[in-house]
Every structure is written in C-alpha cells, then in structure tokens.
C-alpha cells in the first residue's frame, strides 16, 4: 500500500506560480513512477506530468510543457509540481498518483491521493 498526500493548492491570480507537493509513504520503490493529473468540473481526468523516483527524463502533456515542471526529493519521499504562468483554464483538482510504468494514461496508475484544489482567477 502507498499513501499519497497532496498539498500546496489554493487561489492564485492568472500569471502567477504555485508549487504543489505530494508526500508518499508506505511501500515505495525507486522504480515507481510518480504522476500528476488534474480534473476540472465536468471534464475527464487529464494527465500533466510523470517522473521516476530513480531519475531520468520526465514526460509532460503538451498543454503544460514549458509552464509546469515535475521534480522529486527522494530523501523526503516527495514529488513536486512547480507551475508557472497559470491560466484560468488550469483551474482543477490536482492529483498525484503512483504507477509501475512511465505513462500518461490514468488507468496505469495504482494509487491516488485525495487531490488539492487549484483555482486561478482572471
């Protein structure tokens, strides 16, 4: 079992930055993949970014490439999503999740956090 707790969400003005954190506990392995997804009201869950605890090149959705950066701190078992130049359309609940493969497909992810709300005002 893996437990995931997201934090760092909130209300931010358009153009601003925000850093989200996801703390993992329980059975975690260096080969695990940590991903970020988001879901806006009335929309399907959308992949944002993913990275391995062990390093290597992360993957990003085209919609956030160049604006969002995923990183991890293995010593803290925490993965981050640094966001820049936020837009009102980035408003959503943001989730972190664990997979055993580097993937942008939500069904490949086994464990999920409870989510953190990000609201971007125009």
């Amino acid at each position: 079992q893996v437990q995931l707790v997201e934090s760092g969400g909130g209300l931010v003005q358009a153009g601003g930055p925000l850093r989200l954190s996801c703390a993992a506990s329980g059975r975690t392995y260096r080969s695990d993949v940590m991903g970020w997804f988001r879901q806006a009201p009335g929309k399907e869950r959308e992949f944002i970014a993913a990275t391995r605890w062990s390093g290597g090149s992360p993957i990003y959705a085209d919609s956030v490439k160049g604006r969002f950066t995923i990183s991890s701190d293995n010593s803290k078992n925490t993965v981050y999503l640094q966001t820049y130049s936020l837009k009102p359309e980035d408003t959503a609940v943001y989730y972190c999740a664990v997979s055993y493969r580097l993937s942008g497909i939500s069904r490949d992810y086994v464990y999920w956090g409870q989510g953190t709300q990000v609201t971007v005002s125009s």
Side-chain angles (χ1 to χ4, degrees), residues 8 11-13 15 51-52 58-59 63 69 74 80 82 86 92 100 102 111 116 119:
L11 176 64
V12 61
Q13 286 191 330
T51 188
R52 292 190 185 277
I59 58 174
S63 59
T69 301
N74 292 352
Y80 303 98
Q82 179 68 58
L86 283 167
Y100 304 126
L102 193 61
Y111 300 103
T116 185
T119 303

Side-chain angles (χ1 to χ4, degrees), residues 14-35:
L18 200 65
R19 189 176 82 158
L20 307 181
S21 301
C22 173
S25 60
R27 186 212 59 79
T28 59
Y29 297 106
R30 292 273 290 168
S31 58
D32 287 349
V33 170
M34 298 299 295

Side-chain angles (χ1 to χ4, degrees), residues 39-90:
Q39 189 165 20
K43 295 189 177 181
E44 292 188 355
R45 191 165 293 185
E46 175 190 16
F47 169 74
I48 298 172
T51 188
R52 292 190 185 277
W53 285 117
S54 58
S57 297
I59 58 174
Y60 293 93
D62 289 342
S63 59
V64 303
K65 207 172 287 185
R67 293 193 302 124
F68 291 9
T69 301
I70 189 171
S71 63
S72 63
D73 185 336
N74 292 352
S75 67
K76 297 180 179 179
N77 267 12
T78 299
V79 65
Y80 303 98
L81 185 69
Q82 179 68 58
T83 68
Y84 301 96
S85 303
L86 283 167
K87 306 173 183 179
E89 52 263 42
D90 292 318

